[in-house]
């Protein structure tokens, strides 16, 4: 990277706009940046660092502190940096977070951090302006711009501070640092992630192999202990004891089966005899029940006979009921006719009274007719005076319009005055509110910064909690998966053993004496396998067990890998959490404060433009003045129209003296005439209607009398017919010998005559059949004795229980033998495989231990790789250190220092003494020279180690004051000669110093001059 032009505006001590053109300085090769302490020399480098990466040259410095305290409030803080990388040219522009005045109104507003990156290849420096910076690469989003810059340069902000700006104090500390501290620094500069990953991978693989063997051995011991054995020998003894138990239980099982067969035979015979006794009891019970119902069915038979006689009276009863209904209907009609006649008589009386009442209103009719005649006469007078009335109406309308216009203007004036008072009050409140708003916004900005930090910390805490929960959950799942794997492995070994045993038995059945064995070829068969061949399905069982074991093993491996990933995630999140500063207050409290401030801001209402409000009041004053003039004019117009209307009304009233005041308009007369006509019509109509109603009522009386007489005659005829029907009904009851009560009680039986007759016949049949069945069952029993069935059942169940118990004992014993045999074979195979696995993982565990520092030098692989790079750094440093110390000193590695991580110690070889000694024995000037050489060497190696990094220009910050001088220069002259040699190697070097001798020796560069209102940069050249 080669700087071309740096523009600082309101940045640090630079209150205005400072443009630093590096072209002449870089072309000279060796240049200086001079000035008094605190003038702003290092701020130039800080400006470059901020422009490129959005950070200050000191990592702990906050961006918001970069703004100049001397700058004008309306001048934004901004940095523009033009730089070259190889043959390409780029422009980066940044504005940090800062407060700026509002564009409208009073107070300040927050501007967010912004960044822009342009490619300006092909543009001369003079062509690059604020409006023309080239092709945009990234904009606005500061993270995107930072990533793009890092991609261009090949390093980030921290490396930029270490290899482009060489801070002497840092490398003096590097000289005397401990090995672990030096590793941390070099790790940031050299990518050794490959070695870190390899170390971690080897360590994890070795630990997995060791843990797997250890866990498997523990599983084997657990399986033995679960079966109650301490060793394999104890297991063998247990197998022999279990085999003897199988034989003993087989004998017991055979005896129990014989006894159970005898008990079952006796029980079945007794159950057949018991069935005959039960059948006899059931038939006798049925016969007793049917015999007990004889009286019931005799009563039903008697009721059937009476119901058949009662059925002969039904037709006479129906005739009597019909005659009774006719009598009731005739009496009802007669009552209705009498009521209608009475009502008609009353209507005649009411109608007569109404006619008399209407006849009494004859004077009202006459008065209405006279009123109508007077109104017709008034209408003629009004028609003659219509011209005067029109003139009055026109004058009154003009008066009303003028008065309304005046009132409207007066209301408008009052409203304007009221509005002015309100706006004046609002303006005073707005001035107070804007002042309060500014204070609230400052507090809000501070709280939002706290909120963001608290949210970040809370999220990091939540991430740690969730990662911890996931890790713990996966730990349990991994342990369960390992347990399932062990179980599946045991089942697989047992299935394999069972299949092998079945195959051996099959081969044994085909062995012949003196014939060779198909497996081993021997003709001697001293102990061939014996037993029953039951291998059906064992091959399938073996395959299924093997598949289950492979699945379980795969699941266990996946669980272990997932657990390792979750552990790494947890550690990373814990590290992130530890790097964050814990908020001084809770997020809830911060949010509550933010909400309170937002509520306060909302309570203040929207911001008001005070200048616009004041201008509005001035405009309102002008409107009020104009409205006052207009209102006075309209007041005069209204008074003039009122006088004209008064004169017109007096002329009209002289013509209308004969007409009442309330009827002096045509509409009033017509309305009164309509009302009088309506009243007259109503009086006449009411009289005519009353006379018509009286006539109709008299005719209704005659009709009602005729209807009543007809109803009386019909009722008499119906009464005679009812009496005849009643006499016939009594006669029929007497013929059958029934009282009316007995007849009514038999009506329900008439409806069930057929079903009752059928029930009697069915009962008689069932009684005969039950008698025959009871006799047959008694004959079947004969002389048999009834057995004691519960005793026989109990004996049979006891015998069966003994058989089941004996069978279960024999099966359990057999299973125990089989289980122990499978366990023995499985454990022997597993232990053999574990021995092999332990032997196979030995080299891996040894390599992992060596790579992770378990070696005579206690040196880790990562440290070894860094040491190799460090050798190159020291070699490059010595190229500079020799000329600067007259070839007296050389830096070399001390691999024997300390008992921890070794290999990165530094010693100084002194040619004068021929011995090496510690760097802490160097003087102040010698320490500066050694640190400078080390920094320059480190820059060389970083550039050569990365094909992407280009260090066309580097800066050396301070430290020259510690060099001694002889005849005006001395050691300082030697150092400057070495720096000149860097220039000859096509690398520009900038010196940041306040030492006068350095300024005299290297005139090219810049001088920073500090003033009361800020600093300024002056370009220097060769005098």
């Amino acid at each position: 990277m080669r700087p071309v032009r740096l523009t600082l505006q309101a940045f640090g001590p630079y209150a205005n706009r400072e443009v630093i053109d590096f072209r002449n300085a870089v072309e000279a090769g060796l240049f200086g940046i001079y000035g008094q302490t605190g003038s702003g020399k290092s701020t130039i480098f800080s400006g470059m660092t901020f422009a490129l990466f959005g950070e200050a040259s000191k990592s702990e410095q906050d961006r918001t502190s970069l703004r100049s305290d001397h700058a004008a409030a309306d001048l934004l803080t901004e940095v523009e940096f033009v730089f070259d990388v190889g043959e390409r040219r780029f422009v980066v522009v940044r504005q940090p977070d800062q407060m700026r005045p509002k564009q409208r109104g009073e107070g300040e507003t927050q501007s967010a951090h912004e960044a822009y990156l342009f490619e300006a290849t092909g543009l001369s420096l003079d062509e690059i302006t604020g409006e023309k910076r080239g092709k945009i690469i990234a904009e606005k989003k500061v993270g995107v711009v930072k990533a793009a810059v890092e991609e261009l340069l090949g390093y980030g902000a921290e490396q930029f501070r270490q290899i482009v700006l060489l801070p002497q104090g840092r490398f003096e500390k590097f000289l005397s640092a401990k090995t672990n501290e030096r590793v941390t620094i070099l790790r940031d500069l050299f990518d050794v992630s490959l070695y870190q990953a390899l170390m971690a991978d080897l360590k994890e693989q070795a630990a997995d192999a060791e843990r797997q063997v250890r866990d498997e051995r523990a599983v084997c011991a657990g399986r033995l202990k679960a079966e109650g054995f301490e060793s394999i020998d104890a297991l063998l003894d247990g197998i022999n004891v279990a085999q003897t138990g199988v034989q003993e239980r087989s004998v017991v099982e055979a005896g129990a089966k014989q006894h159970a067969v005898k008990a079952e035979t006796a029980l079945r015979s007794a159950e057949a005899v018991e069935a005959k006794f039960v059948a006899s009891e059931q038939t006798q019970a049925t016969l007793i029940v049917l015999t007990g119902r004889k009286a019931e069915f005799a009563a039903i038979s008697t009721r059937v006979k009476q119901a058949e006689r009662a059925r002969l009276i039904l037709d006479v009863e129906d005739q009597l009921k019909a005659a009774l209904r006719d009598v009731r209907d005739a009496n009802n009609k007669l009552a209705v006719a009498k009521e209608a006649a009475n009502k008609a008589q009353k209507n005649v009386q009411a109608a007569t009274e109404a006619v008399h009442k209407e006849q009494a209103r004859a004077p009202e009719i006459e008065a209405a007719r006279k009123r109508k005649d007077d109104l017709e006469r008034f209408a003629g007078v009004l028609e003659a005076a219509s011209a005067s009335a029109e003139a009055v109406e026109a004058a009154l309308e003009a008066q009303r319009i003028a008065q309304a216009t005046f009132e409207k203007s007066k209301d408008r004036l009052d409203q304007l005055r009221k509005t002015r008072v309100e706006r004046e009050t609002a303006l005073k409140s707005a001035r107070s509110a804007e002042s309060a708003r500014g204070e609230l916004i400052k507090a809000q900005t501070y709280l939002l910064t706290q909120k963001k930090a608290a949210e970040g910390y809370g999220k990091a805490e939540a991430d740690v909690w969730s990662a911890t929960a996931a890790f713990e959950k996966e730990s349990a799942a991994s342990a369960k998966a390992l347990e399932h794997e062990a179980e599946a492995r045991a089942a697989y070994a047992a299935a394999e053993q069972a299949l092998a045993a079945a195959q051996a038995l099959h081969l044994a059945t085909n062995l012949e004496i003196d014939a060779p064995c198909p497996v081993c070829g021997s003709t001697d068969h001293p102990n061939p396998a014996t037993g029953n061949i039951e291998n059906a399905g064992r091959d399938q069982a073996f395959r299924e067990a093997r598949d289950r074991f492979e699945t379980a093993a795969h699941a266990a491996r996946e669980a272990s890998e997932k657990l390792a990933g979750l552990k790494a995630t947890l550690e990373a999140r814990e590290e992130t959490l530890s790097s964050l500063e814990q908020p001084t207050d809770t997020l809830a409290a911060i949010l509550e404060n933010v909400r309170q401030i937002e509520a306060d801001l909302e309570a203040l209402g929207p911001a008001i433009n005070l200048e616009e409000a004041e201008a509005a009041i001035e405009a309102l004053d002008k409107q009020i003045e104009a409205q006052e003039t207009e209102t006075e004019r309209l007041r005069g117009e209204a008074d003039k129209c009122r006088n004209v209307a008064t004169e017109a009304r007096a002329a009209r009233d002289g013509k209308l003296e004969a007409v009442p005041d309330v009827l002096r308009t045509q509409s009033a007369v017509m309305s009164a005439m309509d009302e009088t006509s309506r009243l007259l019509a109503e009086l006449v109509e009411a009289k005519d209607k009353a006379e018509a109603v009286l006539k109709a009522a008299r005719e209704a009386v005659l009709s009602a009398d005729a209807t009543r007489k007809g109803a009386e005659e019909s009722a008499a005829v119906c009464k005679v017919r009812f009496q005849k029907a009643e006499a016939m009904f009594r006669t029929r009851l007497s013929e059958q010998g029934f009282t009316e009560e007995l007849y009514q009680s038999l009506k329900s039986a008439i409806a069930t005559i057929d079903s009752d007759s059928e029930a009697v016949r069915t009962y008689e049949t069932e009684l005969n059949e039950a008698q025959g069945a009871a006799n047959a069952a008694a004959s079947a029993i004969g002389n048999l004795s009834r057995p004691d069935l519960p005793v026989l059942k109990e004996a049979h169940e006891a015998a069966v229980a003994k058989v089941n118990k004996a069978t279960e004992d024999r099966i359990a014993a057999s299973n125990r033998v089989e289980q122990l045999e499978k366990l023995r074979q499985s454990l022997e195979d597993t232990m053999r495989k574990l021995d092999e696995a332990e032997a196979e993982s030995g080299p891996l565990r040894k390599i992992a231990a060596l790579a992770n520092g378990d070696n005579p030098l206690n040196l880790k692989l990562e440290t070894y790789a860094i040491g190799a790079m460090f050798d190159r750094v020291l070699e490059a440093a010595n190229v500079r250190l020799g000329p600067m110390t007259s070839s007296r000193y050389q830096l070399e590695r001390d691999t024997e220092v300390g008992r921890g991580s070794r290999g990165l110690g530094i010693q100084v070889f002194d040619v004068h003494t021929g011995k090496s000694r510690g760097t802490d024995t160097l003087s102040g000037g010698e320490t500066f020279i050694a640190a400078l050489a080390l920094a320059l060497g480190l820059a060389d190696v970083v550039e050569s180690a990365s094909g992407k990094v280009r260090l066309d220009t580097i800066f050396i910050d301070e430290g020259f004051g510690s060099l001694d001088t002889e005849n005006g220069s001395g050691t300082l002259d030697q150092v400057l000669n070495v720096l000149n040699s860097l220039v000859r190697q096509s690398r520009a070097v900038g010196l940041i110093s306040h030492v006068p001798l350095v300024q005299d020796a290297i005139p090219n560069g810049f001088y920073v001059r500090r003033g009361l209102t800020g600093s300024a940069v002056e370009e220097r050249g060769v005098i």
Side-chain angles (χ1 to χ4, degrees):
M1 189 276 296
R2 184 169 57 255
V4 179
R5 184 179 71 193
L6 177 66
T7 303
L8 305 175
Q9 178 175 291
F11 188 88
Y14 302 103
N16 298 308
R17 183 178 179 86
E18 288 293 329
V19 180
I20 305 171
D21 189 339
F22 288 98
R23 287 178 295 178
N24 293 333
V26 170
E27 185 178 355
L30 187 61
F31 62 92
I33 300 176
Y34 309 121
Q36 298 174 332
T37 301
S39 60
K41 302 186 296 299
S42 298
T43 303
I44 295 175
F45 189 77
S46 187
M48 288 188 285
T49 310
F50 173 71
L52 293 171
F53 306 105
E55 302 177 18
S57 59
K58 296 179 181 179
S59 58
E60 65 274 10
Q61 186 176 2
D62 183 53
R63 284 196 307 269
T64 57
S65 66
L66 298 177
R67 178 168 174 79
S68 174
D69 295 333
H70 304 287
D74 58 348
L75 185 64
L76 287 178
T77 299
E78 181 179 88
V79 178
E80 179 194 72
F81 186 37
V82 183
F83 62 96
D84 292 343
V85 178
E87 300 301 322
R88 301 171 67 187
R89 174 163 291 179
F90 299 93
V91 181
V92 62
V93 181
R94 280 188 191 267
Q95 295 176 355
D97 310 283
Q98 56 189 302
M99 300 299 296
R100 61 174 177 78
K102 291 183 177 179
Q103 294 180 354
R104 301 180 67 179
E106 298 178 356
E108 294 181 324
T109 185
Q110 175 79 26
S111 290
H113 184 186
E114 294 184 358
Y116 304 85
L117 178 64
F118 306 86
E119 181 167 1
T121 304
L123 295 178
S124 67
L125 186 60
D126 295 335
E127 291 177 310
I128 300 174
T129 63
E131 292 74 27
K132 182 180 180 182
R133 291 186 172 115
K135 177 183 177 182
I136 188 71
I137 299 177
E139 60 178 333
K140 289 285 187 181
K141 296 183 178 180
V142 294
V144 175
V145 173
K146 181 179 180 182
V149 171
E150 290 177 350
E151 177 67 19
L152 286 174
L153 300 180
Y155 48 78
E158 187 61 29
Q159 289 75 25
F160 183 72
R161 298 186 188 102
Q162 292 172 335
I163 61 177
V164 177
L165 175 67
L166 305 181
Q168 295 308 306
R170 182 187 297 265
F171 280 92
E172 289 175 6
K173 289 173 61 178
F174 183 79
L175 277 174
S176 59
K178 296 180 180 180
T179 296
N180 289 337
E181 297 172 350
R182 196 171 287 122
V183 166
T184 301
I185 296 172
L186 294 175
R187 185 186 290 122
D188 292 337
L189 296 174
F190 301 115
D191 185 8
V192 291
S193 58
L194 174 65
Y195 303 102
Q196 291 175 331
L198 179 59
M199 288 166 56
D201 189 46
L202 287 172
K203 186 176 182 179
E204 183 177 358
Q205 291 183 27
D208 288 344
E210 185 177 358
R211 182 174 56 255
Q212 185 173 3
V213 172
R214 183 176 63 254
D215 292 347
E216 290 292 337
R217 292 190 187 278
V219 170
C220 292
R223 292 176 63 189
L224 273 173
K225 188 174 182 181
E227 296 295 338
F229 302 107
E230 296 296 331
S231 63
I232 294 292
D233 293 338
L235 175 62
L236 295 175
D237 294 339
I239 292 174
N240 293 331
V241 172
Q243 289 173 341
T244 302
V246 171
Q247 296 173 359
E248 294 174 351
R249 286 169 175 76
S250 296
V251 174
V252 173
E253 181 185 14
K257 285 182 178 179
Q258 292 177 359
H259 181 67
V261 170
K262 293 179 181 180
E264 184 175 7
T265 301
L267 177 61
R268 299 295 172 256
S269 298
E271 287 175 344
V273 173
E274 176 65 19
K276 294 179 180 181
F277 279 93
V278 171
S280 177
E281 291 174 350
Q282 291 175 345
T283 56
Q284 285 295 331
T286 303
L287 179 60
I288 291 170
V289 171
L290 291 174
T291 303
R293 299 186 67 187
K294 278 187 177 181
E296 176 188 348
F297 281 95
I300 294 173
S301 177
T302 301
R303 188 171 71 245
V304 169
K305 292 175 181 179
Q306 289 179 333
E308 288 175 345
R309 289 161 51 202
R311 188 163 48 183
L312 300 175
I313 306 174
L314 290 176
D315 57 340
V316 178
E317 184 184 23
D318 291 341
Q319 293 175 6
L320 177 61
K321 290 180 179 179
L324 179 61
R325 283 195 301 271
D326 291 343
V327 169
R328 289 173 179 170
D329 291 343
N331 289 335
N332 291 336
K333 289 179 180 179
L334 178 58
V336 171
K338 289 181 178 179
E339 179 66 25
N342 293 333
K343 185 176 181 181
Q345 191 64 39
K346 291 179 180 179
N347 290 340
V348 169
Q349 294 176 356
T352 301
E353 293 176 357
V355 168
H356 292 162
K357 183 178 180 181
E358 292 301 324
Q359 289 175 349
R361 298 182 68 183
E364 293 182 26
I365 296 175
E366 186 61 28
R369 286 176 179 157
K370 184 178 181 303
R371 171 73 170 167
K372 184 177 180 182
D373 294 339
D374 290 341
L375 289 172
E376 289 176 352
R377 181 167 51 82
F378 292 158
V381 173
L382 289 176
E383 184 176 358
S386 60
S388 298
E390 291 176 359
V392 172
E393 291 297 330
L396 290 174
E397 178 65 16
Q399 177 190 351
R400 185 189 62 77
I401 293 173
Q403 185 65 29
T405 304
F406 165 69
E407 294 294 338
K408 184 176 180 181
S409 179
K410 183 180 177 183
D411 291 343
R412 172 63 176 162
L413 178 60
D414 293 340
Q415 184 62 39
L416 288 173
R417 289 170 176 170
K418 181 179 178 182
T419 302
R420 190 192 186 288
V421 172
E422 292 174 349
R423 289 188 179 180
E424 183 68 29
T425 303
L427 180 60
K428 293 179 181 179
S429 300
R431 290 193 179 103
S432 176
E434 287 304 308
S435 176
R437 193 190 312 277
E439 296 299 324
L440 287 173
I441 290 175
K442 291 180 182 179
Q444 184 186 43
T445 303
Y446 173 72
L447 284 174
L448 290 177
T449 303
Q450 282 192 321
K451 171 178 170 288
K452 184 176 181 181
E455 288 175 343
Y457 190 83
K459 182 178 183 302
E461 274 190 328
D463 290 343
V464 170
W465 292 338
S466 63
T468 301
F471 176 73
E472 292 175 352
K473 181 179 178 182
E474 190 59 32
S475 296
S478 178
K480 194 165 186 64
L482 292 173
E483 181 182 348
H484 288 170
E485 180 189 17
E487 293 173 354
R489 182 184 289 106
Y492 169 53
E496 185 179 26
Q497 176 63 24
L499 180 61
Q503 291 173 343
L505 184 60
H506 176 72
L507 292 173
T509 57
N510 296 319
L511 291 177
E512 297 180 2
I513 299 175
D514 297 331
C517 173
V519 177
C520 64
S522 173
T523 57
D524 184 18
H525 316 302
N527 188 22
T530 59
N532 296 325
I533 300 178
E534 298 175 351
N535 61 341
R538 291 191 176 180
D539 181 66
Q540 181 63 27
F542 166 73
R543 296 176 186 273
E544 292 176 353
R546 181 185 59 192
D547 292 342
R548 285 194 294 270
F549 168 63
E550 291 176 351
T551 301
H554 179 70
R557 286 194 300 272
E558 285 187 342
S560 297
E561 292 172 359
K562 186 176 181 182
L563 183 63
L566 290 174
K567 183 179 180 182
T569 299
L570 175 59
E571 291 174 350
R573 291 183 178 180
E574 287 176 340
E575 183 178 354
T576 299
L577 179 61
S578 64
S579 67
L580 298 176
E581 182 178 354
Q582 186 171 4
T584 56
D585 207 345
T586 64
L587 179 60
I590 295 173
L591 290 174
E592 180 59 30
N593 291 335
V594 171
R595 281 193 292 270
Q596 183 59 49
I597 288 181
E598 290 175 348
D600 293 343
L601 286 171
E602 185 177 358
L604 291 176
I608 297 176
N609 190 317
L610 299 180
E611 294 180 358
E612 291 181 356
E614 291 171 351
I617 290 177
E618 293 178 359
L620 195 58
D621 288 339
K622 295 179 180 179
Q623 291 181 15
I624 291 173
E625 183 179 355
Q627 193 65 35
E628 287 174 344
T629 302
E630 177 66 12
T631 302
E632 288 302 319
R633 184 186 69 79
L634 292 174
R635 188 194 302 275
E637 290 290 336
D639 292 342
K640 182 178 179 182
C641 289
R642 188 182 305 108
N643 295 332
V644 172
T646 301
E647 294 174 358
R649 190 183 297 110
R652 181 202 61 185
D653 292 344
K655 296 177 182 180
L656 297 177
E657 290 180 356
V659 180
D661 291 341
V662 295
L663 298 175
R664 288 184 178 183
T665 62
Q666 195 70 32
S667 60
V669 170
M670 295 307 295
S671 176
M673 188 177 294
D674 291 341
E675 177 64 22
T676 303
S677 298
R678 181 189 62 76
L679 178 60
L680 179 60
E682 288 178 354
L683 292 172
V684 173
E685 182 183 0
K687 178 183 176 184
D688 294 341
K689 185 176 180 181
E691 292 174 349
V693 170
L694 176 59
K695 181 180 179 181
R698 288 172 178 170
E699 292 174 354
V701 167
L702 297 176
S703 176
D705 287 340
T707 301
R708 177 180 54 77
K709 291 178 181 179
E712 289 175 347
E713 294 174 358
S714 177
V717 171
C718 290
K719 183 176 181 182
V720 172
R721 188 166 61 249
F722 171 72
Q723 292 172 349
K724 292 179 179 180
E726 186 177 16
M728 185 176 292
F729 175 69
R730 300 298 176 189
T731 301
R732 189 69 60 87
L733 286 175
S734 177
E735 291 174 352
Q736 296 299 329
F738 291 154
T739 63
E740 185 174 357
E741 290 78 11
L742 179 59
Y743 168 72
Q744 295 297 338
S745 67
L746 290 173
K747 276 188 175 181
S748 60
I750 294 174
T752 61
I753 288 175
D754 295 337
S755 60
D756 289 344
S757 300
E758 180 64 27
V760 171
R761 288 192 296 272
T762 301
Y763 167 74
E764 293 173 349
T765 301
E766 290 177 350
L767 181 62
N768 293 331
E769 290 176 352
Q771 185 65 53
N775 295 336
S779 300
I781 293 175
N783 297 324
L784 293 176
S785 299
R786 192 163 190 170
D788 191 353
L789 200 59
V791 174
L792 294 173
K793 284 184 177 180
E794 184 177 355
H796 176 257
E797 291 173 354
V800 171
K802 289 182 179 180
V803 171
N804 292 338
K805 180 65 169 60
T807 302
E808 291 174 358
D809 291 345
R810 190 261 304 164
I811 293 174
S814 299
N815 290 341
R816 179 63 173 170
V817 171
E818 184 178 358
Q819 177 185 358
L820 295 179
E821 283 289 351
K822 292 177 180 178
L823 177 62
R824 178 189 60 79
Q825 184 62 41
S826 174
L827 290 177
E828 290 177 352
D829 293 344
T830 300
M831 297 301 289
R832 184 184 70 255
K833 292 177 181 178
L834 289 177
D835 292 339
E836 295 173 356
E838 191 170 17
E840 290 175 356
S841 65
L844 171 64
R845 287 183 281 112
K846 184 176 180 180
I847 292 175
L850 292 172
N852 283 276
D854 187 6
N855 52 60
L857 294 178
N858 289 332
L859 190 64
K860 295 182 179 180
L861 179 61
E862 176 197 20
T863 307
Y864 178 80
I866 292 176
M869 298 299 295
F870 192 45
D871 284 338
R872 295 177 57 188
V873 172
L874 295 179
E875 182 179 349
N878 287 329
V879 172
R880 308 306 196 286
L881 184 59
M884 286 191 290
T885 61
S886 301
S887 301
R888 177 179 177 180
Y889 294 122
Q890 289 287 305
L891 298 175
E892 58 184 23
R893 286 175 62 194
D894 179 9
T895 59
E896 299 299 327
V897 175
R899 296 185 54 82
S901 299
R902 300 179 180 179
L904 295 181
I906 301 178
Q907 293 187 122
V908 178
F909 179 76
D910 190 343
V911 175
H912 293 180
T913 63
K915 295 180 180 180
S916 298
R917 53 191 174 96
T919 56
D920 56 350
T921 63
L922 295 175
S923 67
E926 290 172 339
T927 300
F928 168 76
I929 292 173
L932 176 60
L934 187 61
L936 294 173
L938 180 63
D940 289 343
V941 173
V942 169
E943 183 177 31
S944 63
S946 172
K948 192 172 184 179
V949 177
R950 296 176 60 92
L951 300 178
D952 300 310
T953 305
I954 62 175
F955 295 83
I956 301 173
D957 188 7
E958 299 294 355
F960 296 95
S962 62
L963 302 181
D964 64 329
T965 58
E966 295 178 3
N967 299 324
S969 57
T971 307
L972 175 62
D973 189 51
Q974 296 176 354
V975 170
L976 295 179
N977 287 335
V978 171
L979 295 177
N980 272 308
S981 69
L982 287 176
V983 175
R984 291 194 295 271
Q985 297 171 6
S986 299
R987 174 179 293 166
V989 177
L991 307 179
I992 302 175
S993 178
H994 64 281
V995 178
L997 287 176
V998 176
Q999 300 179 31
D1000 295 339
I1002 305 173
N1004 297 302
F1006 308 93
Y1007 189 87
V1008 182
R1009 194 173 303 280
R1010 183 175 61 187
L1012 295 176
T1013 59
S1015 299
V1017 180
E1018 301 174 356
E1019 186 172 0
R1020 288 165 48 103
V1022 178
I1023 301 176

